[in-house]
Amino acid sequence: MTIYTFLGPEGTFTEAALLQVDGAAEAVRIPSPNVAIALEKVRTGEADAAMVPIENSVEGGVSATLDAIATGEPLGIIGEKLVPIRFVL
């Protein structure tokens, strides 16, 4: 069975993006408290892949993600999912 990790907790926009991946709804999904931990789970083999934000509507580019990808053992980006976000205040 495929194991995914994502920037959690459950119910976040990142999990919504993960659920757009074929088979993710049936896979094991592990929330991670931050991007570095999510990517480390992939690097150590605890997870097969991670869904983390590269950019968002508030920050633009997510520097924590870009920094975590650039350091440590190399990782590859295998896809992109867009989640339309609409805030109503």
Side-chain angles (χ1 to χ4, degrees):
M1 174 164 279
T2 303
I3 301 172
Y4 292 106
T5 187
F6 62 94
L7 179 61
E10 293 178 0
T12 61
F13 296 132
T14 308
E15 186 180 29
L18 176 58
L19 290 171
Q20 292 180 24
V21 173
D22 289 339
E26 296 79 28
V28 174
R29 296 184 312 277
I30 304 169
S32 292
N34 62 53
V35 170
I37 290 172
L39 297 181
E40 190 60 26
K41 287 177 182 176
V42 176
R43 288 182 171 117
T44 63
E46 185 179 339
D48 298 305
M51 180 65 74
V52 293
I54 295 282
E55 57 180 47
N56 68 37
S57 61
V58 176
E59 269 186 82
V62 180
S63 58
T65 301
L66 299 173
D67 291 345
I69 290 172
T71 59
E73 293 295 315
L75 293 171
I77 297 172
I78 58 172
E80 173 185 44
K81 298 297 179 185
L82 300 176
V83 178
I85 306 298
R86 183 174 165 188
F87 295 106
V88 178
L89 302 175

